[in-house]
Amino acid sequence: MGIISLITGWPGPSGFGSATTAEQATAGVDAADLTVIITGKQTNINHSFCIYRNDSGSGGASGIGLETSRVLALRGAHVIIAARNMETANEAKQTILKTYENAKIDVLHLDLSSLNSVKTFADNFLALNLPLNVLINNAGIMFCPYQLSQDGIEMQFATNHLGHFYLTNLLLDKMKNTASATGIEGRIVNVSSVAHLHTYEEGIKFDAINDKNSYSDKKAYGQSKLASILHANELSRRLKEEGVNITVNSVHPGLIMTNLMKHSLNLMRIMKLVTYLLWKNVPQGAATTCYVAVHPNLKGVSGKYFLDCNEWPASDFARDPKLAKKLWDYSNHLLDSALQRS
């Protein structure tokens, strides 16, 4: 795998590549026994100057989360779309149902920038008494001007990492119980980004996560995506030690040609022009997430980073087990402090 594969779409060892669509990556997969949560769009009036990755909550026929939801529903999974904007999430549900009238789709409210909302979502889901086989931590915001979440944490770190970290913690026992009762391997997928390469000098600013003077919107985004990989790796290590039948992996969906560009800065438009050969359409952008979430070829594969449906080397920071352990402890400390204040 390399730059030529990215440009040409030539398949890697998995048999899939950058040109593979989500339907192709899951062809022949029967997901009828699976219940899947996919976190979706986190639009918020306080985020009005952020760029939003298109995801499950976006309306119409765009967004990699919507495509992920559609394809997994096509394969028979019961899909729970977790999104802040219920109107657009329900539009996504109706879009899927128009194509597959027997699709199993539900929508629940979730604002990942609010720990109280994360707890409420988890309580509401658990009250449904459904199994949980797959958790896809997909939602994300990026390139926000400096601001703090309502819990007093830098917004991109709070939304992209800590919200998903807390959500995963709250749902983990349900996933363990489901895997044990059904014998079906559970899977957790953290949607990261190649942007994890562009972070602060120390990787994660543990001592200055909220420092306004040193804040960079691009590096803060890269930091949050690095945290997504480190979270997946450390959780994978812990579950292996417990002997739990759950895998945890992270993915880079690729550069996606979605409505993101209409919200972006001129710099993003220039980047798209210069790197146009590397950009994917939405069905291609959802392929790696769907592949890692349900493909039988990845049974037992955990603690890996995937690009174009193939394992890919993440950064040195992302592969540092000491940094992963430090982030785990730091995230728990942040949670404890924030929840005590609320």
Side-chain angles (χ1 to χ4, degrees):
M1 297 290 290
I3 190 66
I4 300 301
S5 298
L6 294 176
I7 294 173
T8 63
W10 192 262
S14 69
F16 304 119
S18 62
T20 299
T21 66
E23 287 199 25
Q24 291 169 339
T26 58
V29 173
D30 181 3
D33 293 330
L34 302 182
T35 299
V36 181
I37 290 177
I38 304 175
T39 64
K41 196 167 187 177
Q42 297 298 296
T43 47
N44 184 311
I45 190 170
N46 294 326
H47 302 169
S48 58
F49 295 103
C50 301
I51 296 174
Y52 299 90
R53 284 197 300 101
N54 284 287
D55 43 40
S56 304
S58 57
S62 67
I64 60 172
L66 173 57
E67 179 68 0
T68 300
S69 300
R70 183 189 73 81
V71 171
L72 294 184
L74 170 66
R75 302 303 177 214
H78 183 179
V79 176
I80 312 295
I81 298 175
R84 185 185 187 281
N85 189 319
M86 295 295 286
E87 180 180 355
T88 52
N90 278 299
E91 287 176 5
K93 174 181 176 179
Q94 293 306 315
T95 297
I96 295 169
L97 288 173
K98 285 178 183 177
T99 306
Y100 316 115
E101 61 180 15
N102 295 322
K104 293 175 286 186
I105 303 285
D106 285 302
V107 175
L108 290 176
H109 180 266
L110 171 64
D111 180 353
L112 283 162
S113 71
S114 164
L115 297 178
N116 284 335
S117 178
V118 174
K119 181 63 165 61
T120 299
F121 169 85
D123 289 343
N124 289 340
F125 173 77
L126 294 174
L128 297 175
N129 200 30
L130 293 170
L132 180 57
N133 306 94
V134 180
L135 172 61
I136 300 177
N137 291 320
N138 166 77
I141 58 175
M142 65 186 196
F143 303 165
C144 300
Y146 179 83
Q147 57 187 298
L148 300 180
S149 71
Q150 69 181 58
D151 299 296
I153 301 162
E154 187 276 308
M155 187 63 76
Q156 295 191 82
F157 193 82
T159 304
N160 298 348
H161 168 62
L162 197 64
H164 281 133
F165 181 86
Y166 187 36
L167 177 66
T168 304
N169 286 356
L170 293 173
L171 297 177
L172 196 54
D173 281 344
K174 168 60 75 171
M175 294 196 71
K176 290 178 180 180
N177 292 337
T178 300
S180 177
T182 64
I184 299 173
E185 178 183 80
R187 296 189 183 183
I188 298 171
V189 182
N190 282 2
V191 178
S192 181
S193 170
V194 70
H196 81 275
L197 296 165
H198 183 62
T199 184
Y200 294 103
E201 183 178 356
E202 61 270 50
I204 306 289
K205 295 200 307 176
F206 294 109
D207 296 327
I209 203 74
N210 288 342
D211 183 55
K212 185 174 183 178
N213 292 331
S214 61
Y215 180 78
S216 160
D217 58 351
K218 309 301 186 299
K219 290 182 179 180
Y221 177 68
Q223 173 180 249
S224 72
K225 295 288 101 176
L226 170 61
S228 295
I229 301 175
L230 292 169
H231 170 217
N233 291 350
E234 177 63 12
L235 180 56
S236 172
R237 184 190 68 78
R238 289 169 177 263
L239 293 177
K240 286 178 182 177
E241 283 190 351
E242 290 182 41
V244 176
N245 189 24
I246 299 174
T247 63
V248 194
N249 293 290
S250 51
V251 305
H252 168 51
L255 300 173
I256 316 300
M257 292 184 182
T258 70
N259 291 337
L260 169 66
M261 300 312 298
K262 75 180 182 182
H263 301 296
S264 66
L265 306 174
N266 289 331
L267 175 62
M268 292 292 289
R269 297 190 181 97
I270 294 171
M271 186 180 79
K272 181 178 176 182
L273 177 64
V274 172
T275 61
Y276 72 98
L277 289 174
L278 302 180
W279 288 73
K280 297 181 178 184
N281 59 35
V282 171
Q284 292 168 342
T288 304
T289 302
C290 288
Y291 174 72
V292 175
V294 299
H295 202 285
N297 283 357
L298 293 186
K299 182 176 176 59
V301 176
S302 190
K304 304 297 182 181
Y305 174 67
F306 288 83
L307 167 67
D308 298 334
C309 300
N310 288 274
E311 286 186 35
W312 191 267
S315 70
D316 289 342
F317 277 139
R319 289 178 286 162
D320 184 343
K322 292 182 180 179
L323 188 62
K325 173 64 166 57
K326 185 174 182 179
L327 176 65
W328 182 277
D329 294 339
Y330 177 77
S331 299
N332 278 317
H333 174 72
L334 270 186
L335 277 178
D336 290 344
S337 298
L339 292 173
Q340 287 174 9
R341 293 194 300 269
S342 63

